[in-house]
């Protein structure tokens, strides 16, 4: 049986992992290779690296990070942030990433999804969606530019459109829940997961192991992503998995 | 020395890095003459079956692989590389494969016997269930490995070394004589994946010594 996946997300800026300050046991808490190895040993099923570099130079270094991580990591990893073209995708995937995640660029030019999917296969193309509930819309609205810009897209319409164009997976972040640690947005996750034929990764709001169970059982998510609760050691991948196993959720 | 077939598809880097972690020498090539010097071959690949076959044919790599195997050489296909070992695939209309193992490649229907839908691709970690003894699983226990695929091999059970359950029984490790296939990505399957690759390398080294 296919297991539910637990995915830590690492923010990378100018080639270094930021926000990983609680890893006192590591020689260098900002080294992507060391952090990747740490999560691998903890039982992470996959990793996501989010490039938050603002400068061009910073963006160039992500390729070196990908190469270094790919050389040491024996689990799949996705790279997102600032990928705007097929050329960007080629660079990242050839350096050894298994998947790329597209967000704003895909909304601005949806053909990018087709291009990436046709060239590399749907399994390489993750569409990241940031969504916030909108009273006027009576549903969740898709935002771009790191959640700063509202779009015309309703979340389920956009998710379906992305999958039709060749997305192999949806990384769904609830802006309403993000950072609150009160749990994933179950209604949003369930709505999108039931609307598309590809796996959905729930993101935003994880505070403890029970939240992952809710996302999988009620939210119908295929995977759960979290950043700060793992980085700040509020819980660990191992603890979450032990809990899920006790609850009868199939994990690795 | 392992030869990794480069036909323009798939993540060659992750396969060669996986071998490097195991301390094995490998080289990447699209040249049949170069590849003929390898003591074992790995055929990786992601993407579409039809495109992959036409690229192999263009480089005459299809003929080479058949000859290599007929001469007793070890071949391991990974993911799409495993699917290419079979007779044909229904992906984008029927397309002929290498016919090194009998069977055809079909798509997950996405609908189970109770007419409930399930997700395609089959993506994530699934547990291997061992079916037949094989040198590639020797000394190992049934563990989880990482799959990403929308098509699977429909083949005789005698060729299935290990399977995984995803609505249907998915052939995960297949074998016929000196030809092996893994539907999942051993190079992305943690310790278990490394052990499986190690077993293949041991087979190849045994041939080197013989």
């Amino acid at each position: 049986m296919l297991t539910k996946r637990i995915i830590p997300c690492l923010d990378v800026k100018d080639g270094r992992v930021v926000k990983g300050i609680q890893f006192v046991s590591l020689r260098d808490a900002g080294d992507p290779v060391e952090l990747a190895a740490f999560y691998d040993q903890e039982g992470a099923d996959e990793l996501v690296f989010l490039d938050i570099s603002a400068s061009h130079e910073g963006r160039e270094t992500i390729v070196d990070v990908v190469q270094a991580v790919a050389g040491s990591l024996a689990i799949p990893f996705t790279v997102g942030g600032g990928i705007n073209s097929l050329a960007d995708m080629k660079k990242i995937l050839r350096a050894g990433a298994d998947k790329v995640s597209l967000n704003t660029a895909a909304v601005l030019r949806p053909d990018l999804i087709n291009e990436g999917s046709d060239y590399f296969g749907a399994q390489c193309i993750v569409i990241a969606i940031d969504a916030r509930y909108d009273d006027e819309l009576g549903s969740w609205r898709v935002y771009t530019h790191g959640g700063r810009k509202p779009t015309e897209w309703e979340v389920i319409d956009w998710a379906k459109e992305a999958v039709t164009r060749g997305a192999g997976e949806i990384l769904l972040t609830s802006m309403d829940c993000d950072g609150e640690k009160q749990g994933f947005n179950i209604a949003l996750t369930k709505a999108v997961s039931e609307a598309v034929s590809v796996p959905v990764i729930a993101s935003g709001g994880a505070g403890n192991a029970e939240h992952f169970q809710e996302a999988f059982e009620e939210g119908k998510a295929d995977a759960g992503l979290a950043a700060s609760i793992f980085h700040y050691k509020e819980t660990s991948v191992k603890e979450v998995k032990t809990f899920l196993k006790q609850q009868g959720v199939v994990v690795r | 020395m392992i030869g990794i077939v480069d036909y323009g598809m798939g993540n060659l880097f992750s396969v060669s890095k996986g071998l490097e972690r195991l301390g094995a020498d490998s080289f990447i090539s699209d040249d049949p003459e170069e590849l003929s010097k390898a003591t074992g071959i790995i055929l990786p690949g992601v993407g579409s079956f039809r495109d992959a076959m036409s690229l192999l044919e263009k480089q005459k790599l299809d003929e080479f692989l058949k000859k290599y195997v007929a001469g007793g050489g070890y071949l391991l296909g990974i993911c799409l590389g495993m699917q290419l070992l079979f007779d044909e695939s229904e992906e984008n209309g029927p397309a002929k494969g290498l016919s090194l193992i009998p069977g055809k490649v079909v798509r997950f229907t996405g609908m189970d016997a109770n007419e409930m839908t399930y997700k395609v691709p089959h993506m994530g970690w699934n547990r291997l269930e061992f079916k037949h003894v094989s040198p590639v699983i020797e000394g190992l226990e049934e563990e989880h490995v990482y799959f990403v695929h929308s098509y699977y091999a429909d083949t005789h059970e005698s060729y299935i070394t290990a399977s995984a359950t995803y609505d249907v029984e998915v052939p995960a490790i297949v074998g016929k004589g000196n030809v092996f296939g893994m539907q999942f990505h051993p190079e992305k399957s943690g310790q278990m994946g490394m052990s499986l690759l190690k077993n293949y390398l041991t087979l190849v080294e045994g041939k080197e010594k013989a």
Side-chain angles (χ1 to χ4, degrees), chain A residues 1-3 5 45-46 67 70-77 93-99 120-121 123-124 168-169 193 196-200 220 222 250-252, chain B residues 8-9 11 13-14 17 20-21 46-47 51 118-127 129 143-149 164-166 186-191 194:
Chain A
M1 216 168 128
L2 196 62
T3 65
R5 287 171 281 154
D45 296 304
E46 256 179 89
Q67 233 160 39
S72 68
L73 196 64
I75 58 171
F77 70 100
L93 291 170
R94 289 202 173 139
D98 301 284
K99 310 174 197 177
F120 292 106
Q123 77 289 333
C124 286
E169 200 169 19
S193 189
V196 297
S197 55
V198 302
V200 171
K220 314 280 182 206
D222 300 280
V250 185
V251 289
R252 175 177 153 247
Chain B
M9 293 183 85
N11 193 343
F13 186 82
S14 69
K17 282 288 170 182
E20 200 181 302
R21 283 197 290 275
V46 293
D51 291 352
Y118 61 88
K119 303 281 173 93
V120 178
H122 172 217
M123 179 186 279
W125 297 79
N126 207 330
R127 185 185 282 279
E129 299 156 35
E143 277 284 348
H144 291 94
V145 290
Y146 188 79
F147 291 84
V148 189
H149 61 123
T165 307
Y166 191 61
E187 78 282 8
K188 289 289 165 184
S189 294
Q191 193 51 54
M194 288 293 114

Coordinates of all heavy atoms in Angstrom, one line a residue, chain A residues 1-3 5 45-46 67 70-77 93-99 120-121 123-124 168-169 193 196-200 220 222 250-252, chain B residues 8-9 11 13-14 17 20-21 46-47 51 118-127 129 143-149 164-166 186-191 194:
Chain A
M1 N 0.8 -1.2 0.0 CA 0.0 0.0 0.0 C 0.9 1.3 0.0 O 1.9 1.3 0.6 CB -0.9 0.0 1.3 CG -2.2 0.6 1.0 SD -3.3 0.2 2.4 CE -3.9 1.8 2.8
L2 N 0.4 2.2 -0.7 CA 1.2 3.5 -0.8 C 1.1 4.2 0.5 O 0.0 4.3 1.1 CB 0.5 4.4 -1.9 CG 1.3 5.5 -2.4 CD1 2.6 5.0 -3.1 CD2 0.5 6.3 -3.4
T3 N 2.2 4.7 1.0 CA 2.3 5.4 2.3 C 2.0 6.9 2.1 O 2.1 7.5 1.1 CB 3.7 5.2 2.9 OG1 4.6 6.0 2.1 CG2 4.1 3.8 3.0
R5 N 3.1 10.6 2.8 CA 4.5 11.2 2.9 C 4.6 12.4 3.8 O 3.7 13.2 3.9 CB 4.9 11.6 1.5 CG 5.2 10.5 0.5 CD 5.4 11.1 -0.9 NE 4.1 11.3 -1.6 CZ 3.9 12.2 -2.5 NH1 5.0 13.0 -2.9 NH2 2.8 12.4 -3.1
D45 N 10.3 11.6 3.8 CA 10.0 10.8 2.6 C 10.5 11.6 1.4 O 10.7 11.0 0.3 CB 8.5 10.5 2.5 CG 8.0 9.6 3.6 OD1 8.6 8.5 3.7 OD2 7.1 10.0 4.4
E46 N 10.6 12.9 1.5 CA 11.0 13.7 0.4 C 11.4 15.0 1.0 O 11.1 15.3 2.2 CB 9.8 14.0 -0.5 CG 9.7 13.3 -1.8 CD 8.5 13.6 -2.6 OE1 8.5 14.5 -3.4 OE2 7.5 12.8 -2.4
Q67 N 23.2 20.3 -6.9 CA 24.2 19.4 -7.3 C 24.7 18.7 -6.0 O 24.9 17.5 -6.0 CB 25.3 20.0 -8.1 CG 25.5 19.3 -9.4 CD 26.3 20.2 -10.4 OE1 27.2 20.9 -10.0 NE2 25.9 20.0 -11.6
A70 N 22.0 16.5 -4.4 CA 21.8 15.3 -5.2 C 22.9 14.2 -5.0 O 22.6 13.0 -5.1 CB 21.6 15.6 -6.7
G71 N 24.1 14.7 -4.8 CA 25.2 13.8 -4.6 C 25.2 13.1 -3.3 O 25.9 12.1 -3.2
S72 N 24.4 13.5 -2.4 CA 24.5 12.9 -1.1 C 23.1 12.3 -0.6 O 23.1 11.5 0.3 CB 25.0 13.8 0.0 OG 24.0 14.8 0.2
L73 N 22.1 12.7 -1.3 CA 20.7 12.3 -0.8 C 20.1 11.2 -1.6 O 20.1 11.3 -2.8 CB 19.8 13.6 -0.9 CG 18.5 13.6 -0.1 CD1 18.8 13.5 1.4 CD2 17.7 14.8 -0.5
A74 N 19.6 10.2 -0.9 CA 19.0 9.0 -1.6 C 17.5 9.0 -1.5 O 16.9 8.0 -1.6 CB 19.6 7.7 -1.1
I75 N 16.9 10.2 -1.3 CA 15.5 10.3 -1.4 C 15.1 11.5 -2.3 O 16.0 12.3 -2.6 CB 14.8 10.6 0.0 CG1 15.3 11.9 0.7 CG2 15.0 9.4 0.9 CD1 14.6 12.3 1.9
P76 N 13.9 11.5 -2.9 CA 13.6 12.5 -3.9 C 13.5 13.9 -3.3 O 13.2 14.1 -2.1 CB 12.2 12.1 -4.4 CG 11.9 10.8 -3.8 CD 12.8 10.6 -2.6
F77 N 13.8 14.9 -4.1 CA 13.7 16.3 -3.6 C 13.2 17.2 -4.8 O 13.5 17.0 -5.9 CB 14.9 16.8 -2.9 CG 16.1 17.1 -3.8 CD1 16.4 18.4 -4.2 CD2 16.9 16.0 -4.2 CE1 17.5 18.6 -5.0 CE2 18.0 16.3 -5.0 CZ 18.3 17.5 -5.4
L93 N 16.8 20.5 -13.0 CA 16.6 19.0 -13.1 C 17.9 18.3 -13.5 O 18.2 17.3 -13.1 CB 15.4 18.7 -14.1 CG 14.1 19.1 -13.5 CD1 13.0 19.0 -14.6 CD2 13.6 18.3 -12.3
R94 N 18.6 19.0 -14.4 CA 19.9 18.4 -14.9 C 20.9 18.4 -13.7 O 21.8 17.5 -13.7 CB 20.5 19.1 -16.1 CG 19.6 18.8 -17.3 CD 20.3 19.0 -18.6 NE 19.5 18.5 -19.7 CZ 19.4 19.1 -20.8 NH1 20.0 20.2 -21.1 NH2 18.6 18.6 -21.7
A95 N 20.8 19.3 -12.8 CA 21.7 19.3 -11.7 C 21.4 18.2 -10.7 O 22.1 18.0 -9.7 CB 21.7 20.7 -11.0
G96 N 20.2 17.6 -10.9 CA 19.9 16.4 -10.0 C 18.6 16.5 -9.2 O 18.3 15.5 -8.5
A97 N 17.9 17.6 -9.3 CA 16.6 17.6 -8.6 C 15.6 16.6 -9.3 O 15.8 16.3 -10.5 CB 16.0 19.0 -8.6
D98 N 14.7 16.1 -8.5 CA 13.7 15.2 -9.1 C 12.5 15.9 -9.6 O 11.9 15.4 -10.6 CB 13.3 14.1 -8.0 CG 14.5 13.4 -7.5 OD1 15.0 12.5 -8.3 OD2 15.0 13.8 -6.4
K99 N 12.1 17.0 -9.0 CA 11.0 17.7 -9.5 C 11.2 19.2 -9.3 O 12.0 19.6 -8.5 CB 9.7 17.4 -8.6 CG 9.5 15.9 -8.4 CD 8.3 15.7 -7.4 CE 8.3 14.3 -6.8 NZ 7.3 14.1 -5.8
F120 N 9.8 16.9 -19.7 CA 10.4 16.1 -18.7 C 9.4 15.0 -18.1 O 9.8 14.2 -17.4 CB 10.8 17.0 -17.5 CG 12.0 17.9 -17.8 CD1 11.8 19.2 -18.0 CD2 13.2 17.3 -17.9 CE1 12.9 20.0 -18.2 CE2 14.3 18.1 -18.1 CZ 14.2 19.5 -18.3
G121 N 8.1 15.1 -18.5 CA 7.1 14.2 -17.9 C 6.4 14.9 -16.8 O 7.0 15.7 -16.0
Q123 N 5.6 13.8 -14.0 CA 6.1 13.5 -12.6 C 7.1 14.5 -12.1 O 7.4 14.6 -10.9 CB 6.7 12.1 -12.6 CG 8.1 11.9 -13.2 CD 8.1 12.0 -14.7 OE1 7.1 11.7 -15.4 NE2 9.2 12.4 -15.3
C124 N 7.7 15.3 -13.0 CA 8.7 16.3 -12.6 C 8.1 17.6 -12.3 O 8.8 18.5 -11.8 CB 9.7 16.6 -13.8 SG 10.9 15.3 -14.0
G168 N 2.0 17.1 -12.4 CA 2.0 15.7 -11.8 C 1.6 15.7 -10.3 O 1.4 14.6 -9.8
E169 N 1.6 16.9 -9.7 CA 1.3 16.9 -8.3 C 1.0 18.4 -7.9 O 1.4 19.3 -8.6 CB 2.6 16.5 -7.6 CG 2.5 16.1 -6.1 CD 3.8 15.5 -5.6 OE1 4.8 15.7 -6.2 OE2 3.7 14.8 -4.6
S193 N -8.1 18.0 -3.3 CA -7.7 16.6 -3.5 C -8.8 15.8 -4.2 O -8.5 14.9 -5.0 CB -7.4 16.0 -2.1 OG -6.8 14.7 -2.3
V196 N -9.0 16.7 -8.2 CA -7.9 16.4 -9.2 C -7.5 15.0 -9.1 O -7.7 14.3 -8.0 CB -6.7 17.3 -9.0 CG1 -7.0 18.8 -9.3 CG2 -6.0 17.2 -7.7
S197 N -6.9 14.5 -10.2 CA -6.5 13.1 -10.2 C -5.1 12.8 -9.8 O -4.6 11.7 -9.8 CB -6.7 12.6 -11.7 OG -5.9 13.4 -12.5
V198 N -4.3 13.9 -9.4 CA -2.9 13.8 -9.1 C -2.8 13.9 -7.5 O -3.7 14.5 -6.9 CB -2.0 14.8 -9.8 CG1 -2.2 14.6 -11.3 CG2 -2.3 16.2 -9.4
P199 N -1.6 13.5 -7.0 CA -1.4 13.7 -5.5 C -1.4 15.1 -5.1 O -1.0 16.0 -5.8 CB -0.1 13.0 -5.3 CG 0.2 12.2 -6.5 CD -0.5 12.8 -7.6
V200 N -2.0 15.4 -3.9 CA -2.0 16.7 -3.3 C -1.2 16.7 -2.0 O -1.3 15.8 -1.1 CB -3.4 17.1 -3.0 CG1 -3.4 18.4 -2.2 CG2 -4.2 17.3 -4.3
K220 N -7.9 14.1 2.9 CA -7.6 13.3 1.7 C -6.3 13.7 1.1 O -6.1 13.4 -0.1 CB -8.7 13.3 0.7 CG -10.1 13.2 1.2 CD -10.5 11.7 1.4 CE -11.9 11.6 1.9 NZ -12.1 10.4 2.7
D222 N -2.3 13.4 0.2 CA -1.4 12.3 -0.1 C -0.1 12.5 0.7 O 0.7 11.6 0.9 CB -1.1 12.2 -1.6 CG -2.4 12.0 -2.3 OD1 -2.8 10.8 -2.4 OD2 -3.0 12.9 -2.9
V250 N -0.9 4.5 7.2 CA 0.2 3.8 6.7 C 1.4 4.8 6.3 O 1.2 5.7 5.5 CB -0.2 3.0 5.4 CG1 1.0 2.2 4.9 CG2 -1.4 2.2 5.7
V251 N 2.5 4.6 7.0 CA 3.7 5.5 6.7 C 4.9 4.5 6.6 O 4.8 3.4 7.0 CB 4.0 6.5 7.8 CG1 2.9 7.6 7.7 CG2 4.1 5.9 9.1
R252 N 5.9 5.1 6.0 CA 7.1 4.3 5.8 C 7.9 4.2 7.1 O 8.0 5.1 7.9 CB 8.0 5.0 4.7 CG 9.3 4.5 4.4 CD 9.8 5.3 3.3 NE 11.3 5.3 3.3 CZ 12.0 6.4 3.6 NH1 11.5 7.5 3.9 NH2 13.3 6.3 3.6
Chain B
G8 N 19.1 10.7 -23.9 CA 18.5 12.0 -23.9 C 17.3 12.1 -23.0 O 16.6 13.1 -23.0
M9 N 17.0 11.0 -22.2 CA 15.9 11.1 -21.3 C 16.3 10.6 -19.9 O 17.0 9.7 -19.8 CB 14.8 10.2 -21.9 CG 14.2 10.7 -23.1 SD 12.8 9.8 -23.7 CE 11.5 10.5 -22.8
N11 N 17.0 11.1 -15.6 CA 17.9 11.8 -14.7 C 19.2 10.9 -14.5 O 19.2 10.1 -13.6 CB 17.3 12.1 -13.3 CG 18.1 13.0 -12.5 OD1 19.3 13.2 -12.8 ND2 17.5 13.6 -11.5
F13 N 22.1 11.8 -13.8 CA 22.9 12.3 -12.7 C 22.6 11.5 -11.4 O 23.5 11.1 -10.7 CB 22.7 13.8 -12.5 CG 23.6 14.4 -11.5 CD1 24.8 14.8 -11.8 CD2 23.1 14.6 -10.2 CE1 25.7 15.4 -10.9 CE2 24.0 15.2 -9.3 CZ 25.2 15.7 -9.6
S14 N 21.3 11.3 -11.1 CA 21.0 10.7 -9.8 C 21.4 9.2 -9.8 O 21.8 8.7 -8.8 CB 19.5 10.8 -9.5 OG 18.7 10.1 -10.4
K17 N 25.2 9.2 -9.5 CA 25.6 9.6 -8.1 C 25.3 8.4 -7.1 O 26.0 8.2 -6.2 CB 24.8 10.8 -7.6 CG 25.4 12.1 -8.2 CD 26.7 12.5 -7.5 CE 27.4 13.6 -8.2 NZ 28.7 13.9 -7.6
E20 N 28.1 6.1 -7.4 CA 29.2 6.7 -6.8 C 29.2 6.5 -5.3 O 30.2 6.2 -4.6 CB 29.3 8.2 -7.1 CG 30.6 8.9 -7.0 CD 30.5 10.3 -7.3 OE1 30.1 10.6 -8.5 OE2 30.8 11.2 -6.5
R21 N 28.0 6.7 -4.7 CA 27.9 6.5 -3.2 C 28.2 5.0 -2.8 O 28.6 4.8 -1.7 CB 26.4 6.8 -2.8 CG 26.1 8.3 -2.7 CD 24.9 8.5 -1.9 NE 23.7 8.1 -2.5 CZ 23.0 8.8 -3.4 NH1 23.4 10.0 -3.7 NH2 21.9 8.4 -4.0
V46 N 13.0 8.6 -17.6 CA 11.7 9.0 -17.3 C 11.2 9.7 -18.5 O 11.9 10.1 -19.4 CB 11.6 10.0 -16.1 CG1 12.1 9.4 -14.8 CG2 12.5 11.2 -16.4
G47 N 9.9 9.7 -18.7 CA 9.3 10.4 -19.8 C 8.4 9.4 -20.6 O 7.9 8.4 -20.0
D51 N 8.8 8.2 -27.3 CA 10.0 9.1 -27.5 C 11.3 8.3 -27.2 O 12.3 8.4 -27.9 CB 9.9 10.3 -26.6 CG 8.7 11.2 -27.0 OD1 8.1 11.0 -28.1 OD2 8.5 12.2 -26.3
Y118 N -8.9 6.5 -8.0 CA -7.6 6.6 -7.2 C -6.6 7.4 -8.0 O -6.8 7.6 -9.2 CB -7.1 5.2 -6.8 CG -6.7 4.3 -7.9 CD1 -5.4 4.4 -8.5 CD2 -7.6 3.4 -8.4 CE1 -5.1 3.5 -9.6 CE2 -7.2 2.5 -9.5 CZ -6.0 2.6 -10.0 OH -5.6 1.8 -11.1
K119 N -5.6 7.9 -7.3 CA -4.7 8.9 -8.0 C -3.7 8.2 -9.0 O -3.1 7.1 -8.7 CB -3.8 9.6 -6.9 CG -4.6 10.3 -5.8 CD -5.1 11.7 -6.4 CE -6.1 12.4 -5.4 NZ -5.5 13.3 -4.5
V120 N -3.5 8.8 -10.1 CA -2.5 8.4 -11.0 C -1.7 9.7 -11.4 O -2.3 10.7 -11.7 CB -3.1 7.9 -12.3 CG1 -2.0 7.5 -13.4 CG2 -4.0 6.7 -12.0
P121 N -0.4 9.8 -11.3 CA 0.6 8.7 -11.1 C 0.5 8.0 -9.7 O 0.1 8.6 -8.8 CB 1.9 9.3 -11.3 CG 1.7 10.8 -11.0 CD 0.3 11.1 -11.4
H122 N 1.0 6.8 -9.7 CA 1.4 6.0 -8.5 C 2.6 6.7 -8.0 O 3.7 6.4 -8.6 CB 1.6 4.6 -8.9 CG 2.1 3.7 -7.7 ND1 3.0 2.7 -8.0 CD2 1.9 3.7 -6.4 CE1 3.3 2.1 -6.8 NE2 2.6 2.7 -5.9
M123 N 2.5 7.6 -7.1 CA 3.7 8.4 -6.6 C 3.9 8.3 -5.1 O 3.0 8.5 -4.4 CB 3.4 9.9 -7.0 CG 4.6 10.8 -6.6 SD 4.2 12.5 -6.9 CE 4.6 12.6 -8.6
G124 N 5.1 7.9 -4.8 CA 5.4 7.8 -3.3 C 6.0 6.5 -3.0 O 6.5 5.7 -3.8
W125 N 6.1 6.2 -1.7 CA 6.7 5.0 -1.1 C 5.7 3.9 -1.0 O 4.7 4.1 -0.3 CB 7.4 5.4 0.2 CG 8.4 6.4 0.1 CD1 8.2 7.8 0.1 CD2 9.8 6.2 0.1 NE1 9.5 8.4 0.0 CE2 10.5 7.5 0.0 CE3 10.7 5.0 0.1 CZ2 11.9 7.6 0.0 CZ3 12.0 5.2 0.1 CH2 12.6 6.5 0.0
N126 N 6.1 2.7 -1.5 CA 5.2 1.6 -1.4 C 6.1 0.4 -1.0 O 7.3 0.3 -1.3 CB 4.5 1.3 -2.7 CG 3.2 0.6 -2.5 OD1 3.1 -0.2 -1.6 ND2 2.2 0.8 -3.4
R127 N 5.5 -0.6 -0.3 CA 6.3 -1.7 0.2 C 6.4 -2.8 -0.9 O 5.4 -3.2 -1.5 CB 5.6 -2.3 1.4 CG 6.4 -3.4 2.1 CD 5.7 -4.0 3.2 NE 5.7 -3.2 4.4 CZ 6.7 -3.2 5.3 NH1 7.8 -3.9 5.1 NH2 6.7 -2.4 6.4
E129 N 6.8 -6.6 -2.1 CA 6.4 -7.9 -1.7 C 7.1 -8.9 -2.5 O 7.0 -8.9 -3.8 CB 4.9 -8.1 -1.8 CG 4.0 -7.1 -1.0 CD 2.6 -6.9 -1.6 OE1 2.0 -7.9 -2.2 OE2 2.1 -5.8 -1.6
E143 N 10.9 -4.0 2.0 CA 10.9 -2.6 2.5 C 10.2 -1.7 1.6 O 9.8 -2.1 0.5 CB 12.4 -2.1 2.7 CG 13.1 -2.6 4.0 CD 12.6 -1.8 5.2 OE1 12.0 -0.7 5.0 OE2 12.9 -2.2 6.3
H144 N 10.1 -0.4 2.0 CA 9.5 0.6 1.1 C 10.5 1.1 0.1 O 11.6 1.3 0.4 CB 8.9 1.8 1.9 CG 7.7 1.4 2.7 ND1 7.8 1.0 4.0 CD2 6.4 1.3 2.4 CE1 6.6 0.7 4.5 NE2 5.7 0.9 3.5
V145 N 10.0 1.4 -1.1 CA 10.8 2.0 -2.2 C 10.0 3.1 -2.9 O 8.7 3.1 -2.7 CB 11.3 1.0 -3.2 CG1 12.4 0.1 -2.6 CG2 10.2 0.2 -3.8
Y146 N 10.7 4.0 -3.6 CA 10.0 5.2 -4.1 C 9.6 5.0 -5.6 O 10.4 4.8 -6.5 CB 10.9 6.4 -4.0 CG 10.2 7.7 -4.4 CD1 9.3 8.3 -3.5 CD2 10.4 8.3 -5.6 CE1 8.7 9.5 -3.8 CE2 9.7 9.4 -6.0 CZ 8.9 10.0 -5.1 OH 8.2 11.2 -5.4
F147 N 8.3 5.1 -5.8 CA 7.7 4.9 -7.2 C 7.2 6.3 -7.7 O 6.7 7.1 -7.0 CB 6.5 4.0 -7.1 CG 6.7 2.6 -6.8 CD1 6.8 2.1 -5.5 CD2 6.8 1.7 -7.9 CE1 7.0 0.8 -5.3 CE2 7.0 0.3 -7.6 CZ 7.1 -0.1 -6.3
V148 N 7.3 6.5 -9.0 CA 6.6 7.6 -9.7 C 6.3 7.0 -11.1 O 7.2 7.0 -12.0 CB 7.5 8.8 -9.9 CG1 6.6 10.0 -10.4 CG2 8.1 9.3 -8.7
H149 N 5.1 6.6 -11.4 CA 4.8 6.2 -12.8 C 3.3 6.1 -13.0 O 2.5 5.9 -12.0 CB 5.4 4.8 -13.0 CG 5.0 3.7 -12.1 ND1 4.4 2.5 -12.6 CD2 5.0 3.6 -10.8 CE1 4.1 1.8 -11.5 NE2 4.4 2.4 -10.4
A164 N 4.3 -4.6 -5.8 CA 3.7 -3.7 -4.8 C 2.3 -3.6 -5.1 O 1.9 -3.8 -6.3 CB 4.4 -2.3 -4.9
T165 N 1.5 -3.2 -4.1 CA 0.0 -3.2 -4.4 C -0.4 -1.7 -4.5 O -0.2 -0.9 -3.6 CB -0.7 -3.9 -3.2 OG1 -0.2 -5.2 -3.1 CG2 -2.2 -4.0 -3.6
Y166 N -1.0 -1.4 -5.7 CA -1.6 -0.1 -5.9 C -2.9 -0.3 -6.7 O -2.8 -0.3 -7.9 CB -0.7 0.9 -6.6 CG -1.2 2.3 -6.5 CD1 -1.4 3.0 -5.3 CD2 -1.4 3.0 -7.7 CE1 -1.9 4.3 -5.3 CE2 -1.9 4.3 -7.7 CZ -2.1 5.0 -6.5 OH -2.5 6.3 -6.5
P186 N 15.5 3.0 -7.5 CA 16.4 2.5 -6.4 C 17.3 3.6 -5.9 O 17.6 3.7 -4.7 CB 17.2 1.3 -7.0 CG 17.1 1.5 -8.5 CD 15.8 2.2 -8.7
E187 N 17.7 4.5 -6.8 CA 18.7 5.6 -6.5 C 18.0 6.6 -5.6 O 18.7 7.5 -5.1 CB 19.3 6.2 -7.8 CG 18.4 7.1 -8.6 CD 17.4 6.5 -9.4 OE1 17.2 5.2 -9.3 OE2 16.7 7.2 -10.2
K188 N 16.7 6.5 -5.5 CA 15.9 7.5 -4.7 C 15.2 6.8 -3.5 O 14.3 7.4 -3.0 CB 14.9 8.3 -5.5 CG 15.6 9.2 -6.5 CD 16.1 10.4 -5.7 CE 17.1 11.2 -6.6 NZ 17.7 12.3 -5.8
S189 N 15.5 5.6 -3.3 CA 14.8 4.8 -2.3 C 15.6 4.5 -1.0 O 15.5 3.4 -0.5 CB 14.3 3.4 -3.0 OG 13.4 3.7 -4.0
G190 N 16.3 5.5 -0.6 CA 17.0 5.4 0.7 C 18.0 4.1 0.7 O 18.5 3.7 -0.3
Q191 N 18.1 3.6 2.0 CA 19.0 2.5 2.2 C 18.6 1.2 1.4 O 19.4 0.5 0.8 CB 19.0 2.2 3.7 CG 20.1 1.2 4.1 CD 21.5 1.7 3.6 OE1 21.9 2.9 3.9 NE2 22.2 0.8 3.0
M194 N 19.7 1.5 -2.2 CA 21.1 1.3 -2.3 C 21.5 -0.1 -2.2 O 22.4 -0.6 -2.9 CB 21.8 2.1 -1.1 CG 21.8 3.6 -1.3 SD 22.8 4.2 -2.7 CE 21.5 4.8 -3.8

